[in-house]
Amino acid sequence: GATNVMLQNGSTDHIVKVNNPYLQGQEDDFLYHFGISKNEAGGLKECFGDVKFVCTGGSPSRLKMYAELFHNDSGLPLSENLSRSDRFCMYKTGPILWINHGMGVPSMSIMLVETIKLLHYADAKDVCFVRIGTSGGIGVAPGTVIVSNGAINGLLEQKHIQFIKGNIVKRDAILDKTLCNDLYETASQLGIPVDRGLTLCADDFYEGQMRLDGAFCEYSSDDKFDFLRKLHSIGVRNFEMESTGFASMTHRAGVRGAIICVALLNRLNGDQVSIDKSCYHEYEMRPFRIISAYLRSLLTEN
Ligand code: R2B
Ligand code: URA
């Protein structure tokens, strides 16, 4: 029969929230970066009304691979690419969407805004968003998966910073504790090296993460190690480039959000990401194996 994802937190009937009075007066809405319209033939509700999970990560080919592997793991049918734009890909396996977000908050926020509107129009209920990505570890062995228990900006605040109307607007970056704990437990059960910690969301891969191998570097090696040690002492375990935006937008949409990223390297030992292809593949599979096992544990025939 039809397969459905049951949520275990007892929450029911939570819509995906938008907060924009102007949307109500708008007949149609074109989700430009997916090439999908609110008034699609076929209907968004029919196509996306059953969605319970959105799994996202940076690269389009990796997300396509994850969707195919999950289709194999779960037996759920795999859609074609539902995005008609080449900015983002979108695959559906039953109640689970697989969408890439590109690199950095500005790219990811476009994807999230359009996905939140899509799922709102589709009347999807009780949706979780999980970012399964890569990161630079801080004092953790390469290959360790970090389950974020908070996301901080470059000022080390658990806030997402945005410029609006010429002002700085700061919004709380909040992840779902239950979902994070469940994913941590799943990783432990699978025997995948896993740690919990804060994630620093940088707006840059090089100077923004205090690398010594960028085109520009106006701080010393000592400055770098002082900063990394300071971050480690306050509980930061990895750098990536989307977490505060992800945590604040999912929170504003009233959906549960979690972030699990594999550390490709330990930044205390270097800056270059020079692992070989098979090692990279083994590492990028770890967050997928966790989410796949977790999702399959929630699937029930009904
Ligand atoms: C992790 O990896 C990417 C940079 O290499 C970026 O999207 C991120 O957050
Ligand atoms: N992604 C990042 O943002 N930083 C790293 O060091 C590796 C992946």
Side-chain angles (χ1 to χ4, degrees):
T3 308
N4 211 347
V5 169
M6 305 297 289
L7 292 178
Q8 296 177 322
N9 71 342
S11 72
T12 50
D13 268 11
H14 290 135
I15 62 160
V16 179
K17 288 192 281 187
V18 297
N19 181 20
N20 176 0
Y22 292 100
L23 283 183
Q24 276 145 36
Q26 201 174 295
E27 250 312 289
D28 203 352
D29 188 357
F30 185 57
L31 307 173
Y32 168 52
H33 302 83
F34 291 129
I36 296 175
S37 295
K38 177 182 165 189
N39 299 335
E40 282 286 305
L44 293 189
K45 197 175 162 57
E46 285 66 28
C47 204
F48 298 104
D50 65 335
V51 170
K52 297 291 179 207
F53 268 85
V54 177
C55 299
T56 186
S59 140
S61 58
R62 177 154 48 87
L63 267 286
K64 180 183 188 207
M65 172 184 79
Y66 287 169
E68 288 167 349
L69 291 171
F70 188 71
H71 156 71
N72 294 339
D73 286 357
S74 68
L76 286 168
L78 172 66
S79 76
E80 57 183 358
N81 184 0
L82 301 173
S83 169
R84 297 186 196 103
S85 140
D86 68 353
R87 297 293 183 180
F88 300 117
C89 69
M90 181 193 290
Y91 294 89
K92 190 170 184 291
T93 50
I96 299 137
L97 284 181
W98 305 85
I99 311 176
N100 80 299
H101 59 56
M103 285 190 282
V105 171
S107 173
M108 183 206 60
S109 72
I110 295 171
M111 184 285 280
L112 281 183
V113 164
E114 294 183 16
T115 302
I116 287 164
K117 290 202 292 179
L118 178 84
L119 296 177
H120 177 79
Y121 295 144
D123 212 17
K125 301 274 167 61
D126 307 316
V127 182
C128 294
F129 282 60
V130 182
R131 170 168 140 65
I132 16 181
T134 59
S135 65
I138 303 173
V140 300
T144 307
V145 173
I146 315 294
V147 178
S148 305
N149 58 19
I152 62 173
N153 64 30
L155 297 172
L156 316 188
E157 311 156 327
Q158 296 202 27
K159 301 273 179 185
H160 170 51
I161 294 180
Q162 218 180 338
F163 300 105
I164 300 176
K165 220 168 64 173
N167 296 318
I168 285 188
V169 179
K170 293 188 182 184
R171 295 208 174 84
D172 292 333
I174 298 178
L175 295 165
D176 188 81
K177 288 199 168 59
T178 309
L179 192 53
C180 292
N181 288 337
D182 289 352
L183 291 168
Y184 181 89
E185 289 309 322
T186 304
S188 308
Q189 283 160 18
L190 292 172
I192 292 174
V194 62
D195 201 350
R196 277 186 248 251
L198 293 171
T199 296
L200 194 151
C201 179
D203 283 337
D204 170 46
F205 187 81
Y206 291 98
E207 290 172 276
Q209 299 183 21
M210 290 210 84
R211 284 190 147 80
L212 302 175
D213 63 346
F216 313 103
C217 185
E218 292 162 9
Y219 41 80
S220 67
S221 174
D222 283 348
D223 292 339
K224 166 191 155 176
F225 286 103
D226 286 349
F227 185 59
L228 293 186
R229 276 188 217 103
K230 175 184 169 177
L231 291 178
H232 190 267
S233 75
I234 62 170
V236 182
R237 291 294 175 271
N238 59 348
F239 281 116
E240 46 77 278
M241 299 179 62
E242 293 84 14
S243 53
T244 54
F246 181 90
S248 81
M249 272 202 183
T250 49
H251 182 64
R252 290 170 87 194
V255 300
R256 303 197 290 145
I259 303 176
I260 55 173
C261 291
V262 68
L264 298 177
L265 74 172
N266 177 2
R267 287 294 314 286
L268 294 176
N269 296 335
D271 295 337
Q272 295 256 299
V273 183
S274 50
I275 50 176
D276 66 39
K277 230 179 152 180
S278 74
C279 183
Y280 185 90
H281 183 69
E282 159 65 24
Y283 288 178
E284 73 177 345
M285 284 303 294
R286 290 181 182 177
F288 171 77
R289 285 164 51 207
I290 297 167
I291 197 72
S292 175
Y294 179 66
L295 290 173
R296 282 178 285 131
S297 79
L298 299 183
L299 286 171
T300 54
E301 290 283 327
N302 68 354

